[in-house]
Amino acid sequence: MHAKTDSEVTSLAPSSPPRSPTSRGGRAVYYVQSPSRDSHDGEKTATSVHSTPALSPMGSPRHSVGRDSSSSRFSGHPKRKGDKSSSGRKGAPAGKGWQEIGVIEEEGLLDDEDERRGIPKRCKYFLIFVLGFVVLFSFFALVLWGASRSQKPQIVVKSITFENFIIQAGTDASLVPTDMATTNSTVKLTYRNTGTFFGIHVTADPFTLSYSQLTLASGDLNKFYQARSSRRTVSVGVAGNKVPLYGGGPTLTAGKGSGSMAPVPMILRTTVHSRAYVLGALVKPKFTRAIECKVLMNPAKLNKPISLDKSCIYL
């Protein structure tokens, strides 16, 4: 290559003429021309041309592609020493801001995956609130139930009064002759609600008067409501009309020949049911009281109350 003048160099430098291959020993040789400076004389000299042989035409593009990819990989996010990081702190290590962004992006992806796979966060919070409310409400209801169970109602059978007690001959439904008993009586009892924060609905099984295995009279208690911390006296009519006595008739009329009937021992039975509505239909304790009283019916004391204070058993 011959040396070129400064005018020729300036005319050739920006144009970068195409490289033409020459053959050397059967191989294609490519020449690359680039400007250079000569440091010895301090003046601009002619461009030195360096020839770089290549083994094949495909070698140069492959090398340039690798170089471009590496340069683009490292030149995308330049970091200089002393630059401020994305968080605003001076002197932070390079790449820390991108690490933080990566962590945030990963957390966002995890949250999205949780929302897709499971229940959303709002639903989770709502379920936790509902569960906590149910637990607290159940505990409160349990406390109310325990407090109400300790405040049982008080029932006392005071007396029974016989208006009449008649035994006469007759026939039963199948026209079998037998003695018949007719009884009219009234039972009085007191009911007291000891509950301080709830009322009670009261019902009872039929009151029955029986002699041996025979039921001579029965009566029903009218259901009622008893307010908190209150009491009342209840009267129940117990009656029987022409009840067949069959084999028990002679025993009842054993003393009738002397002009008066002997006292007749009887049993008065019933069961009182009390239902308290403490918290609506959720907390409604029930109290059951079975009562059994021994009664001595004296024909000489008709229309007079017979005290039962000491002759009753409460189960």
Side-chain angles (χ1 to χ4, degrees), residues 25 83 107 123 129 148 166 207 224 226 243 248 266 274 306:
D83 291 345
E107 291 179 354
C123 294
F129 172 77
S148 62
I166 301 171
F207 285 70
F224 61 91
Q226 191 65 35
V243 178
M266 299 183 184
S274 305
I306 301 172

Side-chain angles (χ1 to χ4, degrees), residues 61-296:
R62 186 181 305 170
H63 182 68
S64 64
V65 170
R67 184 177 301 173
D68 294 341
S69 63
S70 63
S71 62
S72 63
R73 183 172 59 213
F74 288 102
S75 63
H77 307 288
K79 293 288 181 178
R80 293 184 179 180
K81 190 173 182 181
D83 291 345
K84 291 185 178 179
S85 63
S86 60
S87 60
R89 292 176 296 178
K90 190 173 182 180
K96 188 174 181 181
W98 295 103
Q99 293 177 0
E100 294 177 354
I101 294 173
V103 171
I104 294 173
E105 290 178 352
E106 289 179 0
E107 291 179 354
L109 293 174
L110 292 175
D111 293 340
D112 294 339
E113 290 179 0
D114 292 340
E115 291 182 357
R116 292 195 205 101
R117 288 185 297 175
I119 303 173
K121 286 186 177 181
R122 292 182 180 178
C123 294
K124 290 181 181 179
Y125 295 152
F126 179 75
L127 291 176
I128 292 172
F129 172 77
V130 171
L131 182 61
F133 177 78
V134 169
V135 171
L136 291 177
F137 185 79
S138 301
F139 177 75
F140 177 70
L142 184 63
V143 171
L144 288 179
W145 182 83
S148 62
R149 289 293 299 175
S150 62
Q151 300 180 5
K152 298 180 179 180
Q154 295 179 357
I155 304 171
V156 178
V157 180
K158 302 298 292 182
S159 64
I160 182 171
T161 303
F162 287 93
E163 284 80 19
N164 59 33
F165 185 79
I166 301 171
I167 298 176
Q168 58 187 4
T171 57
D172 60 3
S174 59
L175 301 178
V176 175
T178 182
D179 291 334
M180 301 286 192
T182 300
T183 307
N184 288 317
S185 62
T186 302
V187 178
K188 288 187 177 182
L189 57 92
T190 59
Y191 187 95
R192 183 187 174 205
N193 180 13
T194 60
T196 57
F197 57 91
F198 58 88
I200 294 179
H201 296 265
V202 183
T203 59
D205 294 344
F207 285 70
T208 59
L209 270 173
S210 60
Y211 170 76
S212 185
Q213 301 297 324
L214 298 174
T215 301
L216 302 179
S218 65
D220 295 325
L221 173 68
N222 295 326
K223 61 182 180 180
F224 61 91
Y225 172 80
Q226 191 65 35
R228 60 182 181 179
S229 302
S230 62
R231 59 180 297 174
R232 73 168 64 190
T233 300
V234 183
S235 298
V236 182
V238 181
N241 185 26
K242 295 180 180 181
V243 178
L245 298 178
Y246 300 109
T251 305
L252 291 173
T253 59
K256 194 173 181 180
S258 60
S260 62
M261 184 183 298
V264 180
M266 299 183 184
I267 301 295
L268 175 67
R269 293 186 180 93
T270 189
T271 302
V272 180
H273 305 280
S274 305
R275 173 77 71 180
Y277 292 89
V278 180
L279 193 61
L282 298 177
V283 181
K284 47 180 182 179
K286 183 179 180 181
F287 307 95
T288 302
R289 203 74 182 271
I291 303 172
E292 183 175 316
C293 303
K294 294 181 179 180
V295 179
L296 185 62

